[in-house]
Amino acid sequence: MVKVLNSSQELIQVRNGEQKAIGFVPTMGNLHAGHISLLEEALKHNDVVYFSIFVNPKQFGPNEDFNKYPRTLQVDINLIEQCLNSYTNKKVIIFAPIDAKEIFPTNTNQLVSVAGLSTMLEGALRPGHFDGVATVVLRLFELVRPQTAYFGLKDYQQFLVIQQMVVDLKLPIKIIGMPIIRESNGLALSSRNQYLSAEEREVSLILSRTLSKIGQIIDHKKSNVEKAQSEITHVLKDSRWNYLEIRDAGTLSSDLTHSTKITLLAVFQLGTTRLLDNMQLEIQ
Ligand code: AMP
């Protein structure tokens, strides 16, 4: 059964009557197979899944795409219903607030800020972005009170920020990171891919291919990281890269001396569309 709620009051009421294992998938809607993979995992492990669809104004900068971000609520509901058909005795509660006031009732400027992780890389290029993300996710956690919440590793830095927030605030919520779902050509699925022209779609493959190449150069050996760094220096001559970096997978520190797991993090920009991708590697 799928139920759609538009107000936080209704949500709180429904949630109060719920005794079972609750999973939560927060999204901004315009769903694709990446979002559905989170829903499937949540349905496998919980009786009830709360699925929020909310384009959060607090995580967009003043010159970003908040107004043109694709909003396709009815299609999203249909996709969720279709997915739920394969799961008997499970329930999905879609929380799709029509007004931001449902989430931020007093339109306060109070923000949650996860120090350190929020201001590097993506956070340096989008100041305030992760504060907006952490703030809305905490607010949604308060409303939904899930035992488990599911996030995509597609937004790897976001995943770390949320994980850190949960640790810092001692929230009783388990955070699960799910693998990136890609098109068969390697392009990571994203609601923003629809901004790309046919030609840009072709060019966008540089992103996943470059990450694979750097991964191959490293080949799980710390001693190869230097070689990978010189390849990156060469790659970055193309100014369409916002960044391409090798960082520790847990702290995002660029000091890899004690790292056993690293992450490659990259943003490749085509026109105004910024494409994010990443890859994690164990190293010895
Ligand atoms: P968004 O609607 O873009 O805020 O994404 C909602 C959730 O879906 C986030 O946890 C994302 O990391 C996740 N997600 C987005 N794209 C993908 C993808 N290609 N594979 C896996 N998860 C994804």
Side-chain angles (χ1 to χ4, degrees):
M1 185 194 79
V2 171
K3 194 181 229 164
V4 184
L5 306 177
N6 301 124
S7 85
S8 48
Q9 206 47 45
E10 281 176 299
L11 179 77
I12 289 165
Q13 246 171 36
V14 170
R15 175 63 185 89
N16 279 344
E18 210 84 74
Q19 304 293 334
K20 298 181 168 168
I22 309 276
F24 179 43
V25 181
T27 78
M28 299 204 297
N30 191 244
L31 305 183
H32 51 64
H35 299 109
I36 297 300
S37 73
L38 307 187
L39 175 60
E40 298 238 18
E41 185 68 6
L43 281 167
K44 277 181 205 151
H45 299 284
N46 300 273
D47 303 307
V48 185
V49 176
Y50 282 67
F51 193 105
S52 64
I53 297 179
F54 176 60
V55 184
N56 169 32
K58 289 195 193 289
Q59 71 187 71
F60 287 78
N63 299 316
E64 293 183 358
D65 56 342
F66 175 72
N67 286 324
K68 79 163 186 177
Y69 197 86
R71 289 157 172 89
T72 51
L73 182 58
Q74 194 49 55
V75 180
D76 292 350
I77 294 172
N78 296 346
L79 275 173
I80 292 172
E81 272 171 347
Q82 241 174 52
C83 172
L84 185 64
N85 281 340
S86 325
Y87 296 84
T88 40
N89 299 325
K90 303 271 169 148
K91 201 160 81 175
V92 178
I93 310 284
I94 300 172
F95 180 43
I98 306 169
D99 196 312
K101 283 207 176 91
E102 296 298 334
I103 306 237
F104 306 114
T106 57
N107 199 20
T108 170
N109 282 328
Q110 202 171 44
L111 288 169
V112 181
S113 192
V114 177
L117 280 174
S118 289
T119 48
M120 56 175 85
L121 297 160
E122 197 58 9
L125 293 184
R126 300 181 71 187
H129 169 67
F130 288 118
D131 294 351
V133 170
T135 303
V136 77
V137 171
L138 180 63
R139 184 72 192 117
L140 289 165
F141 280 175
E142 279 171 359
L143 290 166
V144 175
R145 289 181 284 124
Q147 281 95 26
T148 316
Y150 299 81
F151 290 84
L153 297 180
K154 157 80 173 25
D155 300 285
Y156 189 74
Q157 191 174 354
Q158 165 175 289
F159 167 72
L160 292 182
V161 166
I162 300 300
Q163 233 180 12
Q164 190 61 49
M165 177 179 81
V166 164
V167 169
D168 292 346
L169 301 178
K170 280 212 163 113
L171 302 177
I173 302 172
K174 190 170 166 195
I175 303 297
I176 308 284
M178 295 296 295
I180 302 177
I181 305 295
R182 299 174 181 278
E183 288 184 8
S184 53
N185 59 17
L187 176 65
L189 295 188
S190 163
S191 304
R192 289 187 169 106
N193 289 353
Q194 61 197 270
Y195 299 154
L196 299 173
S197 66
E199 198 182 312
E200 285 173 332
R201 272 181 174 271
E202 280 298 312
V203 181
S204 73
L205 301 182
I206 291 176
L207 174 55
S208 59
R209 288 180 185 160
T210 304
L211 289 186
S212 299
K213 186 172 176 195
I214 306 285
Q216 276 162 17
I217 293 174
I218 296 174
D219 192 23
H220 304 284
K221 296 184 189 79
K222 201 176 276 192
S223 54
N224 287 336
V225 168
E226 209 174 299
K227 206 158 110 197
Q229 296 285 17
S230 17
E231 175 65 16
I232 288 176
T233 307
H234 172 69
V235 166
L236 288 178
K237 288 187 180 138
D238 180 342
S239 62
R240 292 174 297 184
W241 291 90
N242 286 187
Y243 57 82
L244 167 56
E245 303 234 6
I246 308 176
R247 297 287 179 108
D248 180 86
T251 61
L252 296 189
S253 166
S254 49
D255 178 358
L256 307 181
T257 320
H258 303 292
S259 301
T260 54
K261 195 172 172 197
I262 56 170
T263 180
L264 313 180
L265 291 162
V267 172
F268 187 71
Q269 183 163 348
L270 287 168
T272 52
T273 309
R274 304 176 64 253
L275 300 169
L276 279 75
D277 206 342
N278 65 76
M279 175 194 278
Q280 288 71 54
L281 289 168
E282 313 260 348
I283 52 164
Q284 284 187 339

